[in-house]
Amino acid sequence: VFIDASASMGYPSRELKFLPATHVGLALSYVILANHDHVKLHLLQEQGGSNASPFYRGRRRMADCVNFATSATPSGALQLAPALSDHLQKMRRPGKAILISDFLMPAASYQPGLNLLRAFNLDIAVIQILSRHEVDPRFPNGSLALVDSETEQEIKYQWNADARRDYQSKLAHHNAELRSFCHQSGIHYSLYVSDRDLSDFVFATLPAIGLFK
């Protein structure tokens, strides 16, 4: 289970995005452990900052999973393919790879990462996680100063109803491109908005995309 722990996963707060991402990963880890399979957790950050747990087996190791997954503070920029490569070089057997990220990066950044997972002959599932604030931003109308959480670059932006519609249209297009790439590549895809009930997502959405029967 790979969890994006870059700075963008801390927006609008660690509690509203990164922790829900870990909760999804932990829910899946519990199902895996309950089925007497092994699970290994990976926290993806900028190169040199990534870390991984040992392989866990048995439900008694769930506390270890929780402690590991929730230990990180989202930080830094993420280059997906190099970060995944650091972990995959240590992999000794094929299996299922579950990648949890906001995927708020250009297609030229996420496609090489997903293709790298495919090259290792893994059964891949992608879970895109976004906060409600990202899906439906509620900025006041007027001039805004927006700061990129990873590059710290600041841009000025005039926010109004038209800007909101334009933003949501571009986000929908970005997500559709990701979903289409996954579909064409034989990768299971699902979108989780972090204010959705977790149990509903796990028990309804994931079996529907082939993760669990």
Side-chain angles (χ1 to χ4, degrees):
V1 177
F2 297 90
I3 302 173
D4 182 348
S6 63
S8 70
M9 293 295 288
Y11 180 82
S13 70
R14 183 175 183 269
E15 290 71 25
L16 290 177
K17 191 174 180 185
F18 178 69
L19 287 184
T22 67
H23 296 162
V24 171
L26 290 169
L28 303 181
S29 297
Y30 180 81
V31 174
I32 293 167
L33 294 175
N35 286 334
H36 308 290
D37 287 326
H38 296 79
V39 66
K40 184 172 187 175
L41 302 171
H42 305 258
L43 297 174
L44 301 177
Q45 293 182 299
E46 55 190 338
Q47 264 191 301
S50 301
N51 61 90
S53 74
F55 272 104
Y56 297 126
R57 183 171 185 174
R59 281 178 286 187
R60 70 188 185 282
R61 302 305 302 274
M62 196 60 213
D64 295 319
C65 292
V66 172
N67 291 336
F68 178 83
T70 59
S71 65
T73 298
S75 63
L78 178 67
Q79 298 297 322
L80 185 59
L84 286 170
S85 178
D86 287 346
H87 293 277
L88 293 172
Q89 289 173 6
K90 304 178 181 75
M91 196 179 69
R92 295 291 179 265
R93 51 187 165 183
K96 184 179 289 292
I98 301 168
L99 176 57
I100 303 169
S101 172
D102 56 15
F103 286 94
L104 294 180
M105 61 189 80
S109 295
Y110 68 70
Q111 289 180 3
L114 295 177
N115 284 333
L116 183 62
L117 291 173
R118 293 172 64 202
F120 277 78
N121 198 30
L122 296 165
D123 181 13
I124 309 162
V126 156
I127 299 174
Q128 183 185 17
I129 180 165
L130 296 171
S131 67
R132 177 58 59 187
H133 189 74
E134 290 166 319
V135 173
D136 188 17
R138 296 292 181 176
F139 297 122
N141 288 344
S143 181
L144 300 177
L146 303 178
V147 180
D148 188 298
S149 60
E150 296 189 0
T151 67
E152 298 186 354
Q153 180 180 359
E154 180 178 314
I155 62 170
K156 303 293 185 181
Y157 199 78
Q158 195 66 29
W159 187 259
N160 52 37
D162 289 340
R164 182 171 175 270
R165 282 191 293 270
D166 182 59
Y167 165 82
Q168 290 184 314
S169 174
K170 288 178 178 176
L171 178 63
H173 178 73
H174 174 82
N175 294 349
E177 278 193 326
L178 171 62
R179 182 172 61 249
S180 176
F181 179 81
C182 289
H183 178 73
Q184 294 172 17
S185 303
I187 297 171
H188 300 299
Y189 168 87
S190 187
L191 171 64
Y192 177 62
V193 179
S194 62
D195 62 351
R196 180 178 178 181
D197 181 77
L198 178 61
S199 61
D200 173 60
F201 178 75
V202 171
F203 293 116
T205 303
L206 299 185
I209 62 170
L211 275 177
F212 299 111
K213 305 299 182 183

